[in-house]
Amino acid sequence: MTYLPPPAEELRFLDAELRRLDAHRAQLLARRAWLVSVLQSAAPGPATPPFGGPAPANAPRPEASAPRVQNVLLVLGGVLLTIAAMTFTLVSWGHLGIAGRAAVLGTVTAAALVAPVPLLRRGLRSTAESVAGLGLALTVLDAYALHEAALADTDGTAYAAVAATVLAGAWAAYGTALGALRLPRPAALATAQLPLLLTALAADAGPHGISAALLLTATADAAAALLMTSPALRPVRVVAAIGAYGTGGWGLLGALWLSWTAPDPGAAARAAALLLPASAVALTAAWRIAGTARTAEPGRTGVTSTTDATDAPAASGTPSPALPSLSPQPLTTTLPTATALLGALVLLAALGGVLRVTLPGGWAVPAQLLGALALLTAPRIPRMPEQVRRGVAWASAAVQGLALLWALPLVAVALFGPFGWADRPWSGGPADARDAVTVHAPWLSHSGPALAVLGLLAGALALLVRNATWRRRALAGAAVLAWAAALSLPAALELPYVVGLLLLGLLTVAALALPVLPPTGTVLALVTSVDLAFLALADRTATLTALSALTVLYAAASTRSRLAPVTAPAALAYATALACATGAAAGWQAPHTALLVLVVPAVAVAVAPRLATTARVACEVTVAVAALVAVGLAVVDAPLLALVLSSLGVLAGATATRPDRRAAGYAAAALFALAAWVRLAAWEVTAPEAYTLPVTVPALLVGAWRRRRDPLTGSWPAYGPGLAVTLLPSLAALWRDEGWPRPLLLGSAALLITLLGARHRLRAPLVLGGAVLVLTALHELAPYLVQFADALPRWVPPALAGLLLLALGATYERRLRDVRRVRDVLGRMS
C-alpha cells in the first residue's frame, strides 16, 4: 500500500498542528491569569467559608503552620515553668522547712517525670516531650537544692562531678524506659560530657589530667556515635558526634600545646601518650564512617530505610520538638577525609613533639618528614577506604609542605647571596663558599637538616609518584629540589671558594643536559649560571674564567634547536659581560672598551640567519641591549661615540640586507645620522647645514629610488622629508644671521628646487622651494621696507589699503578664476 499522504508530509502536518495547539493554549493561560488578577483586585475582602468549607482562592494564607505554633507554645510553657522552679528554689527555698522543701520538690519532680506516660498513651508526644524536659530541669534543681541544704560542706566541683554522673545515668534510664521520648537520652549524653572533666578539676590533675579527661570523654562520644546505628537513636548520635568533635578538639589543643612546650623527653612522651590514642580514635572513626557511607550508597544490597515508626506522628500532623538529625551526605563526601586528615596530623604532631626535644640542631624536622613519608605507605593497607587514604595523603603532603617552607631560607641565602658582590667587584676572593654567599646576609644554623629535607623531598617525588599523569611533573619537581640542595651544598659544607665555583659550573652543565621537562632544566641552568657569574665577581681571574666558560658553554648549547631560544641570547649576554670585564682588567678606558663590546653585535649579525625564528628574535633583543651598553660606555668621548654609532649603523645595514629584516634600514640611517652629528659636534661645527645635508642627500636618493620602483608614489612622501630637513633649519637660522652667504645660498637652492618642481610638475619641491624663496626674499628686503615705511606719510598706508581693496573687489571674479586654474595645475602635479 502507498501512504497518502507520505509519512514525512504527515509528520510535518502533525508538528505544525501541535505547535498551533501549544500557542493557543499559551494564549488561553495568559487570558485566564489576567482574569484571575482582575477578580482578585475587585473582591471586597476574604469571606469566611461557611460550615468549615474550603477557603476562597484569594484568602490570605497563614504565616505559621499549626504544628509550628503548637511547638512554640509547648517550648515557651516548659521554659516558663523551669524559670518558675528556679525562682522557687533560689528565692523561696529558705521559707520552708526540710519536710516542706522535700515535699514540694519531690512532688513537682515526680509529677513532671510521670506525666509523660499518660500523655504518650493519648498520642500527645509533643506535650510529653515538653513536660519531660521540665522534669529533667527539675532534677538539676533537686541536685542543687540537696547540695545547699545537706551537703554544703562538700567540695562543689567534686559534688558537681558526682551529680552529673548520677543525672546522666538517671536520664539515660528514664529515656530507655520511655523509648518514645527523644529528649532524655541526648540530654543524658550531653550531661555525660562533664563528669571526667569535673573530676580532673576537683583532683587538681593539672594540664595533662584535664586533657586526658577531655580526650577520654571524646573517645566515649565517638564510640557512641559509631556504635549506635539504630534510626531511633539518631538524636543521640548527633549529640555524640558534636561532643566527639567539640570536646576532642579542646583536648587536642591542650595536648598539642603540652607537646609543643615540653621541656624534656619525659614531658614530650606524656603529651604523646595523650595524642597517640586520640589519633587512633580519629583514624578508626574515619574508617568506620567511610565504611558506613559506602554501605549506605544507593544500589547496594541490604540497605534499609532510615525512617521508623517514631516519625509517624510528625508526618500525621503532630510534630515533635525540632531535633537535629545526622544526615548521611557528609559521610559520603568530606567527613571521613577530614577526620582521617586530623588523625594523621595528630599522629605526626605526637612524633614531632618527641623528636623536637630528642634530636638536636633542627634534625627533628627531617625525622618528622620521614614519618610523613612513611604515612604514604599506609594507603597500601588492604581494604582501606578511599576517603581515609585521601586524608592520610593530605596530612603527609601538609607536613612535607611545612618542611619545605622551613628549608627555603637556606636556598634563598645560597641563591641571592652572591648578588652582594655587585657593589664590591674584585675586592678579593673569600675564604670559602659560605663567606662568598654571606656578604650581606647571615648564615643559617640548620643548614645540614635543611639539605636533608630537600634531599628527602626530591627522593620522595622521584620514587613514590608512579601515576602516569603526574610522573613527569613529579620528576621535574624532584629535579628542582635536587638542584636547590646542590646549589646550597658548597656553602653548607664550607668548601673552598674555587671548589664552590667549579661545582656551580658543573651544576649548570648538568641542568642543561637534564632530560626531564627541558624548560625546567634550561631555566635552572640559566639561574645557576647567573649565580656563578655574580659569585665570580669577588676575584678578577675568577670573573674572566667564569664568563669565558659560560660564553663557550651557552654558545655550544645553542647548536641544539630546542635550547637555542634561551642559550643563544645567554651566550651573547655573557660575551658582552666578558668584553666589559676584559677591558676593565686590561685597564682600558670605558670608550675603548665599547669598541671591544661591538664584537658581540658583529658576531650576532653573522650567526643570526642560521638560527630559528624564536632564537633569532631573542638574539636581536640581546644585541640591542649590547649596543646600548657600548653607546653608554662611549658616551663620554664624542669621537669614539661617533665611531661606535657608525659601526652599529654598518651592522644594522648588514641586517637590512636580509629580506625579513628590511626595516633595519631605518635604524641604520638613524645611526649614521647620529654618528655624523656626533662627529660634527666634536669638531665644534655650529652651522645647521652641516647636520642636515648628510641626512638630506640620502633621503632624496631614497625618495628617487622609491619613485623609480613605484611611479605612483607622491612627491611629498618621496622628497618632502629630505627637503624639509635642510630647508627649514636653514630658514630658521637665516633670521638670526646678519651675513650675506647664507641668504644667497639658501635663496639659490630654493630657486633651483622651485624650478625643478615646476619642470617635473612635482608639488613638494614647488611648494617648499617657493615658500622658502619668498621668505628669504622678505628677509633680505625687510630692512628696506622698514626704511621705506618710516619715510612715507601716515596717510599713505590707509590709502594704499583702500586702493588694494578696491582693486581686489573690481577683479575678484577674474582672480578667483586664476586661483582655481593654479589649484588645478598643482592638483595635476604629483
Side-chain angles (χ1 to χ4, degrees), residues 697-776:
V697 174
L700 293 177
L701 293 177
V702 172
W705 176 72
R706 287 186 61 185
R707 282 182 60 83
R708 181 179 294 276
R709 292 191 59 186
D710 186 8
L712 297 179
T713 303
S715 62
W716 281 111
Y719 303 119
L723 294 174
V725 166
T726 294
L727 293 177
L728 297 181
S730 298
L731 183 62
L734 176 66
W735 293 93
R736 300 190 304 269
D737 191 359
E738 297 180 356
W740 61 270
R742 179 175 278 115
L744 178 60
L745 294 176
L746 181 60
S748 301
L751 177 60
L752 179 60
I753 292 171
T754 304
L755 294 177
L756 289 175
R759 172 67 179 81
H760 297 284
R761 305 180 66 183
L762 298 175
R763 185 182 303 173
L766 183 61
V767 173
L768 287 175
V772 173
L773 181 60
V774 170
L775 293 175
T776 303

Side-chain angles (χ1 to χ4, degrees), residues 183-214:
L183 184 60
R185 282 177 287 191
L189 187 58
T191 307
Q193 309 299 311
L194 300 176
L196 289 179
L197 175 61
L198 294 175
T199 301
L201 292 174
D204 197 11
H208 288 82
I210 294 174
S211 298
L214 291 173

Side-chain angles (χ1 to χ4, degrees), residues 449-811:
L451 286 177
V453 167
L454 295 174
L456 288 173
L457 291 175
L461 286 176
L463 300 176
L464 299 181
V465 179
R466 297 297 182 182
N467 185 277
T469 304
W470 293 92
R471 179 63 178 169
R472 296 195 65 193
R473 299 176 185 176
L475 290 178
V480 172
L481 293 172
W483 166 83
L487 185 69
S488 309
L489 185 62
L493 299 181
E494 296 185 86
L495 298 178
Y497 172 67
V498 177
V499 176
L501 294 178
L502 291 176
L503 288 179
L504 287 182
L506 294 176
L507 182 60
T508 304
V509 176
L512 278 177
L514 190 67
V516 180
L517 290 180
T520 303
T522 307
V523 172
L524 294 180
L526 185 60
V527 173
T528 309
S529 64
V530 172
D531 216 38
L532 173 60
F534 276 94
L535 195 64
L537 284 177
D539 182 72
R540 177 183 303 177
T541 304
T543 301
L544 296 176
T545 304
L547 292 177
S548 301
L550 291 175
T551 302
V552 174
L553 173 64
Y554 277 99
S558 300
T559 57
R560 303 169 67 179
S561 58
R562 66 181 180 84
L563 301 179
V566 176
T567 56
L572 295 176
Y574 286 125
T576 303
L578 177 61
C580 296
T582 302
W588 294 355
Q589 296 181 355
H592 295 88
T593 305
L595 298 178
L596 186 60
V597 174
L598 289 178
V599 177
V600 177
V603 174
V605 170
V607 302
R610 300 180 178 88
L611 299 176
T613 303
T614 54
R616 192 182 310 156
V617 173
C619 287
E620 289 170 351
V621 173
T622 309
V623 165
V625 176
L628 291 177
V629 171
V631 172
L633 291 173
V635 74
V636 296
D637 191 333
L640 284 177
L641 178 60
L643 179 59
V644 169
L645 291 173
S646 59
S647 301
L648 293 175
V650 172
L651 296 177
T655 304
T657 58
R658 290 158 41 195
D660 58 337
R661 292 294 184 269
R662 297 298 187 194
Y666 298 104
L671 289 170
F672 282 129
L674 287 174
W677 292 348
V678 171
R679 184 71 263 184
L680 291 173
W683 287 337
E684 298 182 355
V685 175
T686 58
E689 291 80 6
Y691 294 90
T692 57
L693 286 176
V695 179
T696 297
V697 174
L700 293 177
L701 293 177
V702 172
W705 176 72
R706 287 186 61 185
R707 282 182 60 83
R708 181 179 294 276
R709 292 191 59 186
D710 186 8
L712 297 179
T713 303
S715 62
W716 281 111
Y719 303 119
L723 294 174
V725 166
T726 294
L727 293 177
L728 297 181
S730 298
L731 183 62
L734 176 66
W735 293 93
R736 300 190 304 269
D737 191 359
E738 297 180 356
W740 61 270
R742 179 175 278 115
L744 178 60
L745 294 176
L746 181 60
S748 301
L751 177 60
L752 179 60
I753 292 171
T754 304
L755 294 177
L756 289 175
R759 172 67 179 81
H760 297 284
R761 305 180 66 183
L762 298 175
R763 185 182 303 173
L766 183 61
V767 173
L768 287 175
V772 173
L773 181 60
V774 170
L775 293 175
T776 303
L778 289 175
H779 174 266
E780 293 303 310
L781 293 176
Y784 303 102
L785 293 176
V786 171
Q787 295 177 4
F788 180 71
D790 291 338
L792 288 176
R794 296 298 179 93
W795 56 268
V796 173
L800 292 177
L803 290 175
L804 179 61
L805 291 176
L806 290 175
L808 288 177
T811 60

